Amino acid sequence: MFSSTRMNGNPCSLLYGPLEELQELAFIERPIRRSLKTAEEIDQLTVDEDLNDIERAVYLLSVGQEVQRVSVISNLPSLVRQNPAETFRRVVPKVRDVLNGAGAEIQLAAAASFLTILQDDIILIHTHTFSILKTVLLHLNHRDTVVSNAWLETLLSAINALPKETIKQEVLNPLLYQSQLSHSLLGRLATCRILGKVACKLDTHLVKKELLPLARSLCQDVELEVRACMCRQLESFARATGVEHTRNELLPELVELARDEEISVRLAAFDTIINLMEMIDGDDRLHVVVPMVMSVCEVSSQADEAVVASLSFQFGKVCSGLAGSLLDEEKGRLLQRFKVLCVAGLQIEGNQADFNEAMLIRCNCCYNLPAMMVFADPAHFLSELYPSFSSLCCDPQVSVRRSAAASFHQVVKLLSSNVHLVHKELLALLQDEALEVLDALMNHLEETLEAVLSRAENLVLDNKFPELLSALLQAELKVGGSLRWRLHEKLLQHYSCLARLLPGEVLVQHFSPRIFTILTTNKVLPVQREAARTFCTFLRYNRNHEQRQEMMERLIQELAQGRSYWNRLRFLDVCEMASEIFSRKYFNKYFLITALELVQDPVANVRYKLCQLLPRLRSSLRLPADKQLLQQLNFCVQKILGREKDKDVVATIRKTVLELDKMDLAEPFNKRQERDLLDQKKEKEENLLLEMEQLERQQTEGKLNSEKHMERKRRDSKTSLLAVKSMSVSSSGATLSSSGKEMRKAKLSRSRSLSSQPTKSKPTNADRPVKVKDFSSMSGPGRSPMSMTKDEPLRTAHFSTTTQSTSSMPVLIRSNTTSLLERTSILDHGASSLDHRDHRTTTLDHRICKMEHRNNMKEQITGTMDQRDLRTATIDKRDQRTSTLDQRDHRTSTLDQHSKTRERGCAIKDNQSRKLSINRKSNSFSVQSGRD
């Protein structure tokens, strides 16, 4: 039957299952239908709607059922907020009456409500002290432990708000003047906690005189729970009484409790002494605390797991407090004990309780690892603590790895320049299968990456840096593929720090495409918004103009002008984030006009989103600089009001218009000034980024120009060296060729002289031919080519004399000449070998010349540099001289002008004098003529 229904594909059977199962479900639901409320019960639960909140609460507390009473008591804080006077006058007395003999549910609700009222400071505690405190003290000794603890927490919270006189009269007097033995165990435990809370509120004299004797008596109680509880409260007494009283009175009491027969009491004393470490002087640390700690470390290996767990939790504080009082041997023992605790429970198999305790110990070791690094010196991390840290990061339990991830940022900060030592562990945590580990690592990912990437010189860029980038991308892909969208949002939020830590090329190549994909494809709105914020952050901190332009074009083309209305909605989300990240100037230049163009979008949802965004767009405008943009925004609003047909969009634009009208008037001056200052700061940062971009470009251009200049210099030097080489080779070749020609001519002359006509007379002793021995001695290895050339004319003269003599022995002469020819051939062979040797020496000399030429070229280059410096100096001197000459010329020109003016004056005076003289002469001539 079941198979037939499945095969037929009946939709009813697919949705609701087989009929028999439906009948079973109907049978199960029958009792539920029978148990519905009757008409009488509904009448009892019905309340008149005309009653106000206070009257309704009084009515329900009087005649209502328990559910209604619990609801009224839980709603008591809101009633106190609305009308505190009427609530305490009419409702709180009814609550007090209901609590007498009420069940645990009402008691817990009342304790929680009073605790909320006290913690939130809803009322003035001085006004309504007795109305709350009397109720709390009345139910403090409830028979139910849970209810009693709830009322105790309420009382402890009330002590923080109560005045000292009220605490002394209402709280302490019942505790001080009653016999503690007559109280129950829960009453004595409550007394211990109340004393510890009150000790911090009262005067030191009152604490020493009245509270401390009661605390000592409770430390000697017969019940171990009371002794342990009072031992933990001694810390408050120590901080209230001071260092001297702690050393003389409380420390001996704690040492005695540390020797108690019960483990819980010893643990309480141990924890209290460790917490008071800063109040204990050096002598007491050396003689009291150090022996106790060493004994606990030695005994804890065979003791209960609770002792080891407490020790593991306090281990970092113990070592940090005792670092100055320990010997090197004791430090080594403590480090060795910590290493043992880091692997507790991994080698031994036990029951579930032991397994949980061991896991807790390893988690505590992760918590104390940074303190232990300070204790052991971070410089010795690799030899002392790295194996333990690596084992904790790779622990089989997720909770241990999560604890290691939570403290990873502190380890990285302490390692400083040696951060590369934990690179493998960082990759392991980023690639962990459990998302809880990645969640713990994300809480401080920005600090971790800042410590790792800011010291990029420690990263081997060909291996470790790409591995870290791929691990970050894989972590995002893993989280994005899961259903934990809150973790995905957190990860994207922390990835925005990469804009400050990585270069723009790496972001554009690896991270920006992935963030943009999340922005366009992810369906979770908070994740999309965080992706938009991260993408805008990448865009803002990118110092490459071409890359910024490319990212903006992609935003406009694929989002603002995209075919899907979903992408256009995402562009408006990007605009909202960009208005927070960028300055007004940048936002108005790149985002505002594109956003206003969406007023013509065919989809009503896009126009609705734009109407909601208009107030934010208007807040980015400042008059009179943005007058044209304001006109465009007003035109957009008028277009929507005139043409819009969708009722939701019309309602939204009307609200928006009212908000726009009130925006300039409603915004206070202080808030506007703060926004302007923030915008100025953003604009300065953007201008600084642009200046950095220009400086980087200038530096790159300068490097390219310097490289080109160096290449030109190298080419010029190479060409000059080649020219010098060719000149030297040609000169050496010429010398070799000339010497070879001379040698050939000498050989030819020898052969011709030997092949000349025979002599007729017998030679004398002086004219005898040179023997072979002489020739061999002359052609020895010690002979130089110069000596050979000197002896050639002598040979020719000798052979000429022999040819001029008589030819009395022709046959003998011929035989002698043939032997001489053979000898000369041998000599010629030896001379050729000598020529080869001479050629080798010449090549060596040529190499030496090359080396000398190179050195000379270097010296010339340095000389030219010096000459250039001298030239620049001389040019500067010449400039100075020219400036002085110009000044002199100016002076001379001014003097010339003065002299010219003087000459002109003199000339004018001369002319005048001449005219006067001429007039005088003419007058005298006329007088003379008259006389004549």
Side-chain angles (χ1 to χ4, degrees):
M1 178 179 177
F2 297 149
S3 61
S4 64
T5 57
R6 291 174 182 172
M7 291 296 290
N8 292 333
N10 190 358
C12 182
S13 63
L14 291 174
L15 290 173
Y16 302 106
L19 294 175
E20 294 181 357
E21 295 180 2
L22 291 175
Q23 291 174 359
E24 291 176 359
L25 291 174
F27 178 75
I28 294 171
E29 290 179 355
R30 285 175 188 173
I32 298 174
R33 291 177 182 176
R34 291 176 182 176
S35 63
L36 293 176
K37 300 294 183 182
T38 61
E40 296 178 357
E41 293 174 344
I42 292 173
D43 292 335
Q44 292 178 0
L45 295 172
T46 303
V47 182
D48 189 4
E49 295 181 358
D50 296 333
L51 298 176
N52 58 21
D53 293 337
I54 301 295
E55 293 174 351
R56 186 184 299 111
V58 173
Y59 174 77
L60 292 176
L61 289 173
S62 302
V63 299
Q65 297 184 2
E66 186 176 359
V67 177
Q68 294 173 323
R69 291 176 178 177
V70 171
S71 177
V72 171
I73 294 172
S74 300
N75 198 34
L76 191 62
S78 62
L79 293 175
V80 173
R81 291 189 187 95
Q82 295 174 5
N83 195 349
E86 289 294 320
T87 302
F88 279 96
R89 189 176 67 85
R90 299 180 60 185
V91 180
V92 173
K94 287 289 183 182
V95 172
R96 193 182 298 116
D97 296 337
V98 170
L99 289 175
N100 293 325
E105 187 175 2
I106 295 178
Q107 293 278 347
L108 293 175
S113 296
F114 286 128
L115 181 62
T116 304
I117 292 171
L118 294 171
Q119 288 178 346
D120 295 346
D121 295 332
I122 298 173
I123 62 168
L124 293 174
I125 195 66
H126 304 286
T127 308
H128 307 287
T129 300
F130 295 100
S131 59
I132 294 177
L133 190 59
K134 289 291 184 182
T135 306
V136 173
L137 293 174
L138 183 63
H139 301 280
L140 188 61
N141 296 322
H142 198 273
R143 60 180 180 273
D144 192 349
T145 306
V146 178
V147 176
S148 177
N149 290 329
W151 285 114
L152 178 61
E153 294 296 333
T154 305
L155 177 61
L156 296 176
S157 180
I159 289 173
N160 293 327
L162 290 172
K164 295 181 180 180
E165 293 298 328
T166 305
I167 293 172
K168 184 177 179 181
Q169 293 176 5
E170 301 295 332
V171 179
L172 287 182
N173 289 335
L175 299 178
L176 295 174
Y177 299 106
Q178 292 181 5
S179 176
Q180 292 297 323
L181 296 177
S182 62
H183 289 180
S184 62
L185 177 61
L186 295 177
R188 298 201 298 275
L189 291 174
T191 301
C192 295
R193 297 190 62 186
I194 292 171
L195 288 176
K197 192 73 176 179
V198 168
C200 299
K201 292 283 293 183
L202 301 179
D203 297 333
T204 304
H205 177 71
L206 183 61
V207 172
K208 294 178 181 179
K209 184 178 179 181
E210 297 185 1
L211 299 186
L212 193 57
L214 180 59
R216 285 180 175 176
S217 65
L218 291 172
C219 288
Q220 305 298 327
D221 197 273
V222 294
E223 298 293 338
L224 61 96
E225 292 88 352
V226 178
R227 296 200 303 272
C229 184
M230 193 63 241
C231 182
R232 295 187 183 278
Q233 302 303 321
L234 290 180
E235 181 181 356
S236 300
F237 280 86
R239 300 189 184 281
T241 56
V243 177
E244 190 66 27
H245 191 270
T246 300
R247 180 181 181 184
N248 298 329
E249 300 293 335
L250 295 180
L251 188 59
E253 191 72 28
L254 288 171
V255 172
E256 184 179 356
L257 290 171
R259 301 191 186 100
D260 197 274
E261 57 185 6
E262 297 294 336
I263 295 176
S264 61
V265 180
R266 294 201 301 268
L267 282 177
F270 179 75
D271 294 340
T272 304
I273 291 173
I274 298 305
N275 293 332
L276 294 174
M277 188 77 70
E278 68 272 10
M279 299 183 67
I280 301 174
D281 57 2
D283 294 336
D284 291 332
R285 289 183 187 181
L286 184 62
H287 298 95
V288 177
V289 183
V290 172
M292 182 182 66
V293 170
M294 300 307 297
S295 63
V296 170
C297 290
E298 293 174 358
V299 175
S300 60
S301 58
Q302 295 87 17
D304 190 9
E305 290 292 335
V307 180
V308 183
S310 178
L311 177 64
S312 64
F313 183 74
Q314 298 280 358
F315 212 95
K317 188 182 291 186
V318 169
C319 294
S320 299
L322 298 177
S325 303
L326 293 173
L327 301 175
D328 293 338
E329 182 182 358
E330 293 172 342
K331 287 184 179 180
R333 289 164 60 186
L334 288 175
L335 281 174
Q336 190 63 32
R337 183 58 186 159
F338 181 77
K339 295 177 186 178
V340 173
L341 293 176
C342 289
V343 294
L346 295 178
Q347 296 85 4
I348 302 173
E349 296 181 359
N351 54 16
Q352 187 65 28
D354 295 339
F355 178 77
N356 293 332
E357 288 290 335
M359 184 175 64
L360 179 61
I361 290 169
R362 297 200 300 275
C363 291
N364 292 336
C365 289
C366 295
Y367 170 75
N368 288 297
L369 189 64
M372 294 305 298
M373 286 181 63
V374 176
F375 177 71
D377 192 359
H380 302 151
F381 172 77
L382 184 62
S383 59
E384 296 291 342
L385 293 174
Y386 175 73
S388 302
F389 177 72
S390 180
S391 66
L392 291 173
C393 291
C394 302
D395 197 89
Q397 296 300 317
V398 177
S399 60
V400 179
R401 299 199 303 272
R402 182 178 61 209
S403 301
S407 61
F408 194 88
H409 67 287
Q410 297 178 351
V411 174
V412 168
K413 287 181 181 179
L414 290 172
L415 285 176
S416 184
S417 60
N418 295 323
V419 69
H420 62 279
L421 298 175
V422 295
H423 179 75
K424 183 177 70 174
E425 286 70 26
L426 177 60
L427 296 181
L429 294 176
L430 284 172
Q431 298 171 356
D432 199 285
E433 296 178 357
L435 295 178
E436 292 84 0
V437 178
L438 195 58
D439 191 4
L441 190 65
M442 286 299 116
N443 293 328
H444 301 280
L445 182 67
E446 185 173 357
E447 300 175 16
T448 303
L449 293 179
E450 187 173 359
V452 172
L453 295 176
S454 62
R455 302 179 179 90
E457 66 272 7
N458 295 326
L459 289 173
V460 182
L461 295 179
D462 55 346
N463 292 324
K464 294 184 178 180
F465 190 67
E467 288 177 357
L468 180 59
L469 295 182
S470 62
L472 291 171
L473 290 172
Q474 290 296 326
E476 190 278 324
L477 289 173
K478 185 188 299 181
V479 176
S482 64
L483 298 176
R484 300 186 59 178
W485 62 267
R486 290 183 178 85
L487 177 59
H488 198 190
E489 181 186 7
K490 184 194 294 186
L491 184 140
L492 292 175
Q493 180 182 358
H494 290 292
Y495 271 19
S496 61
C497 69
L498 296 175
R500 298 182 292 102
L501 301 175
L502 294 179
E505 292 79 5
V506 176
L507 291 175
V508 171
Q509 185 178 1
H510 294 89
F511 290 93
S512 295
R514 178 58 189 165
I515 299 299
F516 194 83
T517 303
I518 297 169
L519 180 61
T520 54
T521 60
N522 198 286
K523 303 301 180 184
V524 182
L525 186 59
V527 176
Q528 292 173 359
R529 294 174 64 84
E530 201 57 47
R533 184 185 296 276
T534 304
F535 192 84
C536 290
T537 306
F538 287 174
L539 178 62
R540 184 175 189 268
Y541 287 97
N542 195 333
R543 295 198 294 270
N544 193 330
H545 179 71
E546 291 78 9
Q547 292 175 0
R548 287 199 307 270
Q549 196 70 24
E550 182 181 355
M551 294 170 73
M552 280 301 307
E553 290 177 356
R554 190 174 184 184
L555 279 175
I556 294 172
Q557 292 176 1
E558 298 188 22
L559 293 184
Q561 301 174 359
R563 298 181 61 184
S564 174
Y565 83 97
W566 185 265
N567 291 339
R568 298 195 293 273
L569 288 173
R570 298 292 74 77
F571 179 76
L572 294 177
D573 290 335
V574 171
C575 290
E576 186 177 356
M577 297 300 171
S579 64
E580 298 177 1
I581 294 174
F582 294 97
S583 64
R584 295 194 190 107
K585 183 178 179 181
Y586 192 94
F587 177 78
N588 296 336
K589 183 177 180 181
Y590 292 101
F591 290 94
L592 181 62
I593 298 175
T594 308
L596 292 177
E597 290 175 354
L598 294 176
V599 69
Q600 301 177 355
D601 196 274
V603 180
N605 291 341
V606 180
R607 301 195 301 272
Y608 181 81
K609 180 77 173 177
L610 178 61
C611 293
Q612 292 178 340
L613 193 62
L614 284 176
R616 187 180 290 271
L617 300 180
R618 172 64 182 84
S619 64
S620 65
L621 301 179
R622 285 292 179 270
L623 296 177
D626 300 328
K627 184 177 180 180
Q628 295 181 355
L629 294 176
L630 182 60
Q631 291 177 357
Q632 293 183 10
L633 190 143
N634 293 331
F635 179 73
C636 173
V637 173
Q638 292 174 3
K639 186 180 290 187
I640 296 175
L641 287 172
R643 300 180 183 179
E644 188 58 50
K645 297 180 181 179
D646 190 86
K647 59 181 182 179
D648 296 328
V649 180
V650 171
T652 305
I653 193 62
R654 288 176 180 173
K655 293 179 181 177
T656 303
V657 169
L658 295 175
E659 187 176 353
L660 289 174
D661 293 337
K662 297 178 181 179
M663 182 176 293
D664 294 331
L665 299 175
E667 187 177 10
F669 177 76
N670 294 331
K671 187 175 181 181
R672 184 184 301 178
Q673 190 176 8
E674 290 178 0
R675 291 180 61 185
D676 292 340
L677 292 175
L678 182 61
D679 183 72
Q680 290 176 5
K681 183 179 179 181
K682 291 179 182 178
E683 190 172 352
K684 287 181 181 179
E685 290 178 356
E686 291 170 0
N687 294 331
L688 182 62
L689 290 173
L690 291 175
E691 291 176 0
M692 292 173 66
E693 178 184 359
Q694 293 177 359
L695 288 174
E696 288 178 357
R697 285 185 178 182
Q698 291 177 1
Q699 289 177 359
T700 53
E701 290 176 358
K703 287 181 180 179
L704 291 174
N705 293 329
S706 62
E707 289 177 357
K708 289 181 181 178
H709 187 63
M710 291 299 293
E711 287 180 359
R712 288 178 184 175
K713 284 186 177 180
R714 289 174 184 173
R715 289 175 184 174
D716 296 338
S717 62
K718 285 182 180 179
T719 53
S720 62
L721 287 174
L722 289 173
V724 172
K725 287 180 181 178
S726 62
M727 292 292 293
S728 62
V729 169
S730 62
S731 62
S732 62
T735 54
L736 290 172
S737 62
S738 62
S739 62
K741 288 179 181 179
E742 291 177 356
M743 291 295 291
R744 288 175 184 176
K745 287 180 181 179
K747 290 178 182 179
L748 287 173
S749 63
R750 291 176 198 167
S751 61
R752 287 176 182 175
S753 62
L754 290 172
S755 61
S756 60
Q757 293 180 359
T759 57
K760 294 181 180 180
S761 63
K762 186 177 178 180
T764 58
N765 293 328
D767 296 331
R768 289 179 182 176
V770 182
K771 295 182 180 181
V772 177
K773 187 183 291 185
D774 297 331
F775 280 105
S776 64
S777 63
M778 290 172 64
S779 62
R783 298 281 294 179
S784 64
M786 295 295 293
S787 62
M788 294 288 291
T789 55
K790 288 179 181 179
D791 293 337
E792 284 176 357
L794 295 175
R795 291 177 182 175
T796 55
H798 174 73
F799 285 124
S800 62
T801 54
T802 53
T803 54
Q804 290 176 0
S805 62
T806 59
S807 58
S808 61
M809 297 177 68
V811 178
L812 291 175
I813 292 170
R814 293 288 178 88
S815 63
N816 289 332
T817 54
T818 54
S819 63
L820 285 170
L821 289 171
E822 292 176 355
R823 292 172 185 174
T824 52
S825 64
I826 294 167
L827 289 171
D828 292 335
H829 182 70
S832 64
S833 62
L834 288 171
D835 293 335
H836 286 296
R837 292 177 183 175
D838 295 335
H839 181 67
R840 291 175 184 175
T841 54
T842 53
T843 54
L844 291 173
D845 295 334
H846 182 63
R847 291 177 183 176
I848 293 167
C849 291
K850 286 182 180 180
M851 295 296 291
E852 291 177 353
H853 180 69
R854 290 177 183 175
N855 294 327
N856 292 328
M857 289 294 293
K858 292 180 180 179
E859 292 176 356
Q860 289 177 1
I861 290 168
T862 54
T864 53
M865 295 297 289
D866 296 334
Q867 289 176 3
R868 289 177 183 174
D869 296 333
L870 292 172
R871 287 175 185 173
T872 53
T874 53
I875 287 167
D876 295 333
K877 291 179 180 179
R878 287 176 184 176
D879 293 334
Q880 293 177 358
R881 291 175 183 174
T882 51
S883 62
T884 54
L885 290 172
D886 293 334
Q887 292 176 358
R888 291 177 183 175
D889 294 335
H890 181 69
R891 292 175 183 175
T892 53
S893 63
T894 53
L895 291 172
D896 292 335
Q897 289 178 359
H898 286 299
S899 63
K900 286 179 181 179
T901 52
R902 289 177 182 176
E903 288 175 358
R904 289 176 183 174
C906 294
I908 291 167
K909 290 179 180 179
D910 293 336
N911 290 326
Q912 291 177 355
S913 62
R914 286 176 185 176
K915 287 179 180 180
L916 290 172
S917 62
I918 290 168
N919 291 327
R920 289 174 183 173
K921 287 180 181 180
S922 62
N923 292 327
S924 62
F925 181 74
S926 60
V927 171
Q928 186 69 29
S929 63
R931 289 177 182 176
D932 293 336

